[in-house]
Amino acid sequence: MLLAVDVGNTDITFGVFREDDLITRFRFTVKVPRTSDEYGELLCNILVQKGFSSEDISEVIIASVVPQMMYSFTSAIIKYLHCHPIVVGAGTKTGIRIETANPKEIGPDRIVDAVSAYEQYGGPVIVVDFGTATTYDLVTAEGAFQGGVISPGIRISANALWNNTANLPEIEIKCPNVVVAKDTITSMQAGLFYGTLGQSEYIIRKIKKEANIPDAKVIATGGLGKVVSDHTDEIQIYDPDLTLKGLLYIYKKQKK
């Protein structure tokens, strides 16, 4: 079986594939520095809880935006799963062309999402990932990654709000029933949610206009993508497993 790993700034997300089927997924935080043994034991224990063992994993593919943890993490994969992982980066076969000024600057997560969206839904397609940062990326009908937009994610904005003000509390991020609120918590929720929603709609429309692709499909993913996509017609599909499925597509291209 294939273990696909998305190493983000907040979480590490794992997906186990049997052939083309995603049969389980799990995650843990990257906030705590860990040794290779800690990563390995944690990973093996979770696999056992999911009904698998380390011997069930025959291949591993990783996309990471946290280079400082990769030595320990890849060492854990080698020692505990006995696999030398494929790490998505420069030179990895993806099936799409990167038409930016410096392709090496593009985060592997953005490339993986673009591959997944293009393989599943065709192009032109706009991919919106509501992660630690919110990214908007454009892939043309011919499969060319042309670039995109990076903005602070909703949780980054929320943390800045309550960490840099004396009287504003930490709150749950959700869609309130009103925009004009009569209490502080709802006012903050309105600002965070509707600010993100308005930004998303404007940027999507601006990309479509600038690229002259009014009928481009828009695919969302990421933790809060479902909440936002439920409140706008600009996003057609929310795919929570977009990145994991993109890793599967890229893995297959390496094997070919």
Side-chain angles (χ1 to χ4, degrees):
M1 292 187 292
L2 172 69
L3 179 67
V5 188
D6 173 27
V7 181
N9 289 293
T10 304
D11 296 318
I12 306 175
T13 304
F14 300 83
V16 178
F17 287 90
R18 181 182 288 121
E19 300 297 335
D20 292 340
D21 296 326
L22 179 60
I23 55 178
T24 192
R25 65 182 68 78
F26 53 91
R27 66 178 60 202
F28 51 78
T29 182
V30 299
K31 293 296 185 183
V32 180
R34 294 183 172 98
T35 66
S36 60
D37 290 324
E38 289 171 327
Y39 279 124
E41 290 183 9
L42 183 58
L43 177 54
C44 289
N45 288 338
I46 294 177
L47 284 170
V48 169
Q49 291 173 14
K50 293 289 185 177
F52 306 101
S53 72
S54 59
E55 286 76 20
D56 292 323
I57 305 300
S58 58
E59 301 279 359
V60 179
I61 184 167
I62 305 171
S64 173
V65 296
V66 190
Q68 61 268 32
M69 61 157 284
M70 286 301 290
Y71 179 80
S72 293
F73 187 71
T74 54
S75 295
I77 298 295
I78 294 168
K79 286 196 292 183
Y80 284 82
L81 299 185
H82 311 293
C83 299
H84 286 270
I86 298 169
V87 179
V88 178
T92 304
K93 298 176 184 177
T94 63
I96 62 174
R97 302 188 313 279
I98 312 300
E99 295 184 348
T100 60
N102 188 349
K104 292 182 180 180
E105 289 182 348
I106 306 300
D109 55 334
R110 294 171 65 190
I111 299 301
V112 172
D113 284 349
V115 169
S116 186
Y118 185 74
E119 290 282 346
Q120 292 184 83
Y121 309 107
V125 62
I126 298 169
V127 186
V128 188
D129 189 344
F130 293 93
T132 305
T134 301
T135 58
Y136 307 77
D137 292 311
L138 171 62
V139 183
T140 67
E142 296 74 32
F145 181 99
Q146 292 202 322
V149 178
I150 303 174
S151 66
I154 190 169
R155 287 193 177 89
I156 288 178
S157 299
N159 287 329
L161 189 61
W162 55 63
N163 287 331
N164 291 282
T165 54
N167 295 320
L168 295 182
E170 185 172 342
I171 61 168
E172 178 187 4
I173 301 172
K174 66 178 185 178
C175 175
N177 295 324
V178 296
V179 174
V180 181
K182 297 184 182 300
D183 63 272
T184 298
I185 290 177
T186 309
S187 297
M188 293 171 66
Q189 289 171 335
L192 289 166
F193 178 79
Y194 289 112
T196 299
L197 179 63
Q199 177 198 80
S200 300
E201 292 183 329
Y202 180 83
I203 289 177
I204 289 168
R205 289 195 293 266
K206 193 73 172 176
I207 292 173
K208 288 181 176 181
K209 183 178 180 181
E210 188 173 292
N212 193 25
I213 47 170
D215 298 324
K217 294 175 286 293
V218 182
I219 314 301
T221 192
L224 289 167
K226 181 67 165 64
V227 179
V228 176
S229 62
D230 282 346
H231 289 82
T232 178
D233 293 330
E234 293 291 345
I235 297 172
Q236 284 75 55
I237 298 171
Y238 172 69
D239 187 344
D241 298 319
L242 189 73
T243 308
L244 294 177
K245 288 185 283 189
L247 286 166
L248 173 65
Y249 290 124
I250 293 174
Y251 165 78
K252 288 182 175 181
K253 292 179 188 299
Q254 310 319 300
K255 292 304 173 180
K256 288 181 180 179

mmCIF file with all atom_site columns, all heavy atoms in Angstrom, residues 41-59:
data_model
loop_
_atom_site.group_PDB
_atom_site.id
_atom_site.type_symbol
_atom_site.label_atom_id
_atom_site.label_alt_id
_atom_site.label_comp_id
_atom_site.label_asym_id
_atom_site.label_entity_id
_atom_site.label_seq_id
_atom_site.pdbx_PDB_ins_code
_atom_site.Cartn_x
_atom_site.Cartn_y
_atom_site.Cartn_z
_atom_site.occupancy
_atom_site.B_iso_or_equiv
_atom_site.pdbx_formal_charge
_atom_site.auth_seq_id
_atom_site.auth_comp_id
_atom_site.auth_asym_id
_atom_site.auth_atom_id
_atom_site.pdbx_PDB_model_num
ATOM 1   N N   . GLU A 1 41 ? 7.674  6.015  15.958 1.00 0.00 ? 41 GLU A N   1
ATOM 2   C CA  . GLU A 1 41 ? 6.800  5.331  16.902 1.00 0.00 ? 41 GLU A CA  1
ATOM 3   C C   . GLU A 1 41 ? 5.377  5.855  16.821 1.00 0.00 ? 41 GLU A C   1
ATOM 4   O O   . GLU A 1 41 ? 4.411  5.083  16.875 1.00 0.00 ? 41 GLU A O   1
ATOM 5   C CB  . GLU A 1 41 ? 7.351  5.489  18.317 1.00 0.00 ? 41 GLU A CB  1
ATOM 6   C CG  . GLU A 1 41 ? 8.634  4.702  18.557 1.00 0.00 ? 41 GLU A CG  1
ATOM 7   C CD  . GLU A 1 41 ? 9.124  4.817  19.989 1.00 0.00 ? 41 GLU A CD  1
ATOM 8   O OE1 . GLU A 1 41 ? 8.377  5.368  20.823 1.00 0.00 ? 41 GLU A OE1 1
ATOM 9   O OE2 . GLU A 1 41 ? 10.242 4.352  20.260 1.00 0.00 ? 41 GLU A OE2 1
ATOM 10  N N   . LEU A 1 42 ? 5.227  7.166  16.694 1.00 0.00 ? 42 LEU A N   1
ATOM 11  C CA  . LEU A 1 42 ? 3.889  7.750  16.586 1.00 0.00 ? 42 LEU A CA  1
ATOM 12  C C   . LEU A 1 42 ? 3.188  7.258  15.334 1.00 0.00 ? 42 LEU A C   1
ATOM 13  O O   . LEU A 1 42 ? 2.013  6.859  15.366 1.00 0.00 ? 42 LEU A O   1
ATOM 14  C CB  . LEU A 1 42 ? 3.996  9.283  16.578 1.00 0.00 ? 42 LEU A CB  1
ATOM 15  C CG  . LEU A 1 42 ? 2.689  10.076 16.532 1.00 0.00 ? 42 LEU A CG  1
ATOM 16  C CD1 . LEU A 1 42 ? 1.795  9.719  17.708 1.00 0.00 ? 42 LEU A CD1 1
ATOM 17  C CD2 . LEU A 1 42 ? 2.992  11.579 16.527 1.00 0.00 ? 42 LEU A CD2 1
ATOM 18  N N   . LEU A 1 43 ? 3.902  7.236  14.224 1.00 0.00 ? 43 LEU A N   1
ATOM 19  C CA  . LEU A 1 43 ? 3.324  6.787  12.965 1.00 0.00 ? 43 LEU A CA  1
ATOM 20  C C   . LEU A 1 43 ? 2.921  5.317  13.028 1.00 0.00 ? 43 LEU A C   1
ATOM 21  O O   . LEU A 1 43 ? 1.811  4.940  12.625 1.00 0.00 ? 43 LEU A O   1
ATOM 22  C CB  . LEU A 1 43 ? 4.327  7.027  11.835 1.00 0.00 ? 43 LEU A CB  1
ATOM 23  C CG  . LEU A 1 43 ? 3.937  6.562  10.434 1.00 0.00 ? 43 LEU A CG  1
ATOM 24  C CD1 . LEU A 1 43 ? 2.596  7.144  10.009 1.00 0.00 ? 43 LEU A CD1 1
ATOM 25  C CD2 . LEU A 1 43 ? 5.017  6.944  9.430  1.00 0.00 ? 43 LEU A CD2 1
ATOM 26  N N   . CYS A 1 44 ? 3.808  4.478  13.537 1.00 0.00 ? 44 CYS A N   1
ATOM 27  C CA  . CYS A 1 44 ? 3.496  3.042  13.621 1.00 0.00 ? 44 CYS A CA  1
ATOM 28  C C   . CYS A 1 44 ? 2.324  2.774  14.559 1.00 0.00 ? 44 CYS A C   1
ATOM 29  O O   . CYS A 1 44 ? 1.468  1.920  14.276 1.00 0.00 ? 44 CYS A O   1
ATOM 30  C CB  . CYS A 1 44 ? 4.720  2.265  14.082 1.00 0.00 ? 44 CYS A CB  1
ATOM 31  S SG  . CYS A 1 44 ? 6.035  2.176  12.841 1.00 0.00 ? 44 CYS A SG  1
ATOM 32  N N   . ASN A 1 45 ? 2.260  3.502  15.669 1.00 0.00 ? 45 ASN A N   1
ATOM 33  C CA  . ASN A 1 45 ? 1.157  3.320  16.607 1.00 0.00 ? 45 ASN A CA  1
ATOM 34  C C   . ASN A 1 45 ? -0.175 3.706  15.983 1.00 0.00 ? 45 ASN A C   1
ATOM 35  O O   . ASN A 1 45 ? -1.188 3.014  16.179 1.00 0.00 ? 45 ASN A O   1
ATOM 36  C CB  . ASN A 1 45 ? 1.400  4.141  17.877 1.00 0.00 ? 45 ASN A CB  1
ATOM 37  C CG  . ASN A 1 45 ? 2.491  3.562  18.750 1.00 0.00 ? 45 ASN A CG  1
ATOM 38  O OD1 . ASN A 1 45 ? 2.798  2.377  18.655 1.00 0.00 ? 45 ASN A OD1 1
ATOM 39  N ND2 . ASN A 1 45 ? 3.085  4.395  19.589 1.00 0.00 ? 45 ASN A ND2 1
ATOM 40  N N   . ILE A 1 46 ? -0.195 4.793  15.231 1.00 0.00 ? 46 ILE A N   1
ATOM 41  C CA  . ILE A 1 46 ? -1.451 5.208  14.586 1.00 0.00 ? 46 ILE A CA  1
ATOM 42  C C   . ILE A 1 46 ? -1.850 4.195  13.517 1.00 0.00 ? 46 ILE A C   1
ATOM 43  O O   . ILE A 1 46 ? -3.032 3.865  13.377 1.00 0.00 ? 46 ILE A O   1
ATOM 44  C CB  . ILE A 1 46 ? -1.314 6.613  13.991 1.00 0.00 ? 46 ILE A CB  1
ATOM 45  C CG1 . ILE A 1 46 ? -1.113 7.648  15.104 1.00 0.00 ? 46 ILE A CG1 1
ATOM 46  C CG2 . ILE A 1 46 ? -2.558 6.977  13.171 1.00 0.00 ? 46 ILE A CG2 1
ATOM 47  C CD1 . ILE A 1 46 ? -0.895 9.062  14.618 1.00 0.00 ? 46 ILE A CD1 1
ATOM 48  N N   . LEU A 1 47 ? -0.879 3.690  12.761 1.00 0.00 ? 47 LEU A N   1
ATOM 49  C CA  . LEU A 1 47 ? -1.193 2.665  11.762 1.00 0.00 ? 47 LEU A CA  1
ATOM 50  C C   . LEU A 1 47 ? -1.842 1.441  12.420 1.00 0.00 ? 47 LEU A C   1
ATOM 51  O O   . LEU A 1 47 ? -2.826 0.891  11.911 1.00 0.00 ? 47 LEU A O   1
ATOM 52  C CB  . LEU A 1 47 ? 0.061  2.263  11.001 1.00 0.00 ? 47 LEU A CB  1
ATOM 53  C CG  . LEU A 1 47 ? 0.574  3.242  9.943  1.00 0.00 ? 47 LEU A CG  1
ATOM 54  C CD1 . LEU A 1 47 ? 1.949  2.809  9.452  1.00 0.00 ? 47 LEU A CD1 1
ATOM 55  C CD2 . LEU A 1 47 ? -0.398 3.350  8.774  1.00 0.00 ? 47 LEU A CD2 1
ATOM 56  N N   . VAL A 1 48 ? -1.304 1.029  13.565 1.00 0.00 ? 48 VAL A N   1
ATOM 57  C CA  . VAL A 1 48 ? -1.878 -0.119 14.280 1.00 0.00 ? 48 VAL A CA  1
ATOM 58  C C   . VAL A 1 48 ? -3.304 0.184  14.720 1.00 0.00 ? 48 VAL A C   1
ATOM 59  O O   . VAL A 1 48 ? -4.216 -0.653 14.592 1.00 0.00 ? 48 VAL A O   1
ATOM 60  C CB  . VAL A 1 48 ? -0.997 -0.489 15.491 1.00 0.00 ? 48 VAL A CB  1
ATOM 61  C CG1 . VAL A 1 48 ? -1.726 -1.490 16.395 1.00 0.00 ? 48 VAL A CG1 1
ATOM 62  C CG2 . VAL A 1 48 ? 0.320  -1.082 15.024 1.00 0.00 ? 48 VAL A CG2 1
ATOM 63  N N   . GLN A 1 49 ? -3.540 1.387  15.229 1.00 0.00 ? 49 GLN A N   1
ATOM 64  C CA  . GLN A 1 49 ? -4.885 1.772  15.647 1.00 0.00 ? 49 GLN A CA  1
ATOM 65  C C   . GLN A 1 49 ? -5.862 1.768  14.476 1.00 0.00 ? 49 GLN A C   1
ATOM 66  O O   . GLN A 1 49 ? -7.066 1.532  14.648 1.00 0.00 ? 49 GLN A O   1
ATOM 67  C CB  . GLN A 1 49 ? -4.858 3.148  16.297 1.00 0.00 ? 49 GLN A CB  1
ATOM 68  C CG  . GLN A 1 49 ? -4.155 3.190  17.645 1.00 0.00 ? 49 GLN A CG  1
ATOM 69  C CD  . GLN A 1 49 ? -3.998 4.595  18.180 1.00 0.00 ? 49 GLN A CD  1
ATOM 70  O OE1 . GLN A 1 49 ? -4.612 5.536  17.700 1.00 0.00 ? 49 GLN A OE1 1
ATOM 71  N NE2 . GLN A 1 49 ? -3.168 4.743  19.203 1.00 0.00 ? 49 GLN A NE2 1
ATOM 72  N N   . LYS A 1 50 ? -5.343 2.026  13.279 1.00 0.00 ? 50 LYS A N   1
ATOM 73  C CA  . LYS A 1 50 ? -6.188 2.031  12.081 1.00 0.00 ? 50 LYS A CA  1
ATOM 74  C C   . LYS A 1 50 ? -6.354 0.629  11.485 1.00 0.00 ? 50 LYS A C   1
ATOM 75  O O   . LYS A 1 50 ? -7.042 0.459  10.483 1.00 0.00 ? 50 LYS A O   1
ATOM 76  C CB  . LYS A 1 50 ? -5.578 2.953  11.026 1.00 0.00 ? 50 LYS A CB  1
ATOM 77  C CG  . LYS A 1 50 ? -5.591 4.441  11.410 1.00 0.00 ? 50 LYS A CG  1
ATOM 78  C CD  . LYS A 1 50 ? -6.991 5.020  11.377 1.00 0.00 ? 50 LYS A CD  1
ATOM 79  C CE  . LYS A 1 50 ? -6.977 6.516  11.642 1.00 0.00 ? 50 LYS A CE  1
ATOM 80  N NZ  . LYS A 1 50 ? -8.331 7.107  11.531 1.00 0.00 ? 50 LYS A NZ  1
ATOM 81  N N   . GLY A 1 51 ? -5.696 -0.365 12.079 1.00 0.00 ? 51 GLY A N   1
ATOM 82  C CA  . GLY A 1 51 ? -5.841 -1.732 11.605 1.00 0.00 ? 51 GLY A CA  1
ATOM 83  C C   . GLY A 1 51 ? -4.771 -2.186 10.644 1.00 0.00 ? 51 GLY A C   1
ATOM 84  O O   . GLY A 1 51 ? -4.940 -3.197 9.944  1.00 0.00 ? 51 GLY A O   1
ATOM 85  N N   . PHE A 1 52 ? -3.638 -1.475 10.610 1.00 0.00 ? 52 PHE A N   1
ATOM 86  C CA  . PHE A 1 52 ? -2.544 -1.820 9.710  1.00 0.00 ? 52 PHE A CA  1
ATOM 87  C C   . PHE A 1 52 ? -1.263 -2.020 10.514 1.00 0.00 ? 52 PHE A C   1
ATOM 88  O O   . PHE A 1 52 ? -1.224 -1.785 11.719 1.00 0.00 ? 52 PHE A O   1
ATOM 89  C CB  . PHE A 1 52 ? -2.328 -0.721 8.665  1.00 0.00 ? 52 PHE A CB  1
ATOM 90  C CG  . PHE A 1 52 ? -3.561 -0.352 7.897  1.00 0.00 ? 52 PHE A CG  1
ATOM 91  C CD1 . PHE A 1 52 ? -4.284 0.791  8.224  1.00 0.00 ? 52 PHE A CD1 1
ATOM 92  C CD2 . PHE A 1 52 ? -4.019 -1.147 6.858  1.00 0.00 ? 52 PHE A CD2 1
ATOM 93  C CE1 . PHE A 1 52 ? -5.421 1.135  7.525  1.00 0.00 ? 52 PHE A CE1 1
ATOM 94  C CE2 . PHE A 1 52 ? -5.159 -0.816 6.151  1.00 0.00 ? 52 PHE A CE2 1
ATOM 95  C CZ  . PHE A 1 52 ? -5.868 0.325  6.498  1.00 0.00 ? 52 PHE A CZ  1
ATOM 96  N N   . SER A 1 53 ? -0.223 -2.419 9.821  1.00 0.00 ? 53 SER A N   1
ATOM 97  C CA  . SER A 1 53 ? 1.103  -2.482 10.432 1.00 0.00 ? 53 SER A CA  1
ATOM 98  C C   . SER A 1 53 ? 2.089  -1.798 9.504  1.00 0.00 ? 53 SER A C   1
ATOM 99  O O   . SER A 1 53 ? 1.773  -1.502 8.350  1.00 0.00 ? 53 SER A O   1
ATOM 100 C CB  . SER A 1 53 ? 1.515  -3.935 10.659 1.00 0.00 ? 53 SER A CB  1
ATOM 101 O OG  . SER A 1 53 ? 1.814  -4.571 9.425  1.00 0.00 ? 53 SER A OG  1
ATOM 102 N N   . SER A 1 54 ? 3.289  -1.573 10.007 1.00 0.00 ? 54 SER A N   1
ATOM 103 C CA  . SER A 1 54 ? 4.305  -0.921 9.184  1.00 0.00 ? 54 SER A CA  1
ATOM 104 C C   . SER A 1 54 ? 4.643  -1.757 7.956  1.00 0.00 ? 54 SER A C   1
ATOM 105 O O   . SER A 1 54 ? 5.014  -1.217 6.909  1.00 0.00 ? 54 SER A O   1
ATOM 106 C CB  . SER A 1 54 ? 5.565  -0.664 10.018 1.00 0.00 ? 54 SER A CB  1
ATOM 107 O OG  . SER A 1 54 ? 6.081  -1.886 10.526 1.00 0.00 ? 54 SER A OG  1
ATOM 108 N N   . GLU A 1 55 ? 4.500  -3.086 8.054  1.00 0.00 ? 55 GLU A N   1
ATOM 109 C CA  . GLU A 1 55 ? 4.812  -3.968 6.923  1.00 0.00 ? 55 GLU A CA  1
ATOM 110 C C   . GLU A 1 55 ? 3.810  -3.822 5.783  1.00 0.00 ? 55 GLU A C   1
ATOM 111 O O   . GLU A 1 55 ? 4.092  -4.203 4.643  1.00 0.00 ? 55 GLU A O   1
ATOM 112 C CB  . GLU A 1 55 ? 4.854  -5.422 7.388  1.00 0.00 ? 55 GLU A CB  1
ATOM 113 C CG  . GLU A 1 55 ? 6.077  -5.805 8.201  1.00 0.00 ? 55 GLU A CG  1
ATOM 114 C CD  . GLU A 1 55 ? 6.014  -5.291 9.626  1.00 0.00 ? 55 GLU A CD  1
ATOM 115 O OE1 . GLU A 1 55 ? 4.883  -4.986 10.093 1.00 0.00 ? 55 GLU A OE1 1
ATOM 116 O OE2 . GLU A 1 55 ? 7.069  -5.187 10.279 1.00 0.00 ? 55 GLU A OE2 1
ATOM 117 N N   . ASP A 1 56 ? 2.637  -3.269 6.067  1.00 0.00 ? 56 ASP A N   1
ATOM 118 C CA  . ASP A 1 56 ? 1.629  -3.091 5.022  1.00 0.00 ? 56 ASP A CA  1
ATOM 119 C C   . ASP A 1 56 ? 1.992  -1.969 4.051  1.00 0.00 ? 56 ASP A C   1
ATOM 120 O O   . ASP A 1 56 ? 1.473  -1.905 2.948  1.00 0.00 ? 56 ASP A O   1
ATOM 121 C CB  . ASP A 1 56 ? 0.258  -2.787 5.642  1.00 0.00 ? 56 ASP A CB  1
ATOM 122 C CG  . ASP A 1 56 ? -0.305 -3.968 6.401  1.00 0.00 ? 56 ASP A CG  1
ATOM 123 O OD1 . ASP A 1 56 ? -0.105 -5.104 5.949  1.00 0.00 ? 56 ASP A OD1 1
ATOM 124 O OD2 . ASP A 1 56 ? -0.947 -3.748 7.448  1.00 0.00 ? 56 ASP A OD2 1
ATOM 125 N N   . ILE A 1 57 ? 2.872  -1.060 4.491  1.00 0.00 ? 57 ILE A N   1
ATOM 126 C CA  . ILE A 1 57 ? 3.251  0.089  3.666  1.00 0.00 ? 57 ILE A CA  1
ATOM 127 C C   . ILE A 1 57 ? 4.469  -0.279 2.834  1.00 0.00 ? 57 ILE A C   1
ATOM 128 O O   . ILE A 1 57 ? 5.538  -0.581 3.362  1.00 0.00 ? 57 ILE A O   1
ATOM 129 C CB  . ILE A 1 57 ? 3.557  1.326  4.545  1.00 0.00 ? 57 ILE A CB  1
ATOM 130 C CG1 . ILE A 1 57 ? 2.379  1.648  5.468  1.00 0.00 ? 57 ILE A CG1 1
ATOM 131 C CG2 . ILE A 1 57 ? 3.912  2.515  3.663  1.00 0.00 ? 57 ILE A CG2 1
ATOM 132 C CD1 . ILE A 1 57 ? 1.086  1.954  4.758  1.00 0.00 ? 57 ILE A CD1 1
ATOM 133 N N   . SER A 1 58 ? 4.294  -0.237 1.514  1.00 0.00 ? 58 SER A N   1
ATOM 134 C CA  . SER A 1 58 ? 5.394  -0.603 0.620  1.00 0.00 ? 58 SER A CA  1
ATOM 135 C C   . SER A 1 58 ? 6.034  0.604  -0.061 1.00 0.00 ? 58 SER A C   1
ATOM 136 O O   . SER A 1 58 ? 7.178  0.532  -0.516 1.00 0.00 ? 58 SER A O   1
ATOM 137 C CB  . SER A 1 58 ? 4.907  -1.576 -0.458 1.00 0.00 ? 58 SER A CB  1
ATOM 138 O OG  . SER A 1 58 ? 3.842  -1.012 -1.201 1.00 0.00 ? 58 SER A OG  1
ATOM 139 N N   . GLU A 1 59 ? 5.288  1.719  -0.158 1.00 0.00 ? 59 GLU A N   1
ATOM 140 C CA  . GLU A 1 59 ? 5.797  2.924  -0.815 1.00 0.00 ? 59 GLU A CA  1
ATOM 141 C C   . GLU A 1 59 ? 5.321  4.150  -0.042 1.00 0.00 ? 59 GLU A C   1
ATOM 142 O O   . GLU A 1 59 ? 4.238  4.137  0.554  1.00 0.00 ? 59 GLU A O   1
ATOM 143 C CB  . GLU A 1 59 ? 5.285  3.022  -2.265 1.00 0.00 ? 59 GLU A CB  1
ATOM 144 C CG  . GLU A 1 59 ? 5.670  1.849  -3.154 1.00 0.00 ? 59 GLU A CG  1
ATOM 145 C CD  . GLU A 1 59 ? 7.076  1.963  -3.695 1.00 0.00 ? 59 GLU A CD  1
ATOM 146 O OE1 . GLU A 1 59 ? 7.751  2.969  -3.390 1.00 0.00 ? 59 GLU A OE1 1
ATOM 147 O OE2 . GLU A 1 59 ? 7.503  1.059  -4.432 1.00 0.00 ? 59 GLU A OE2 1
#
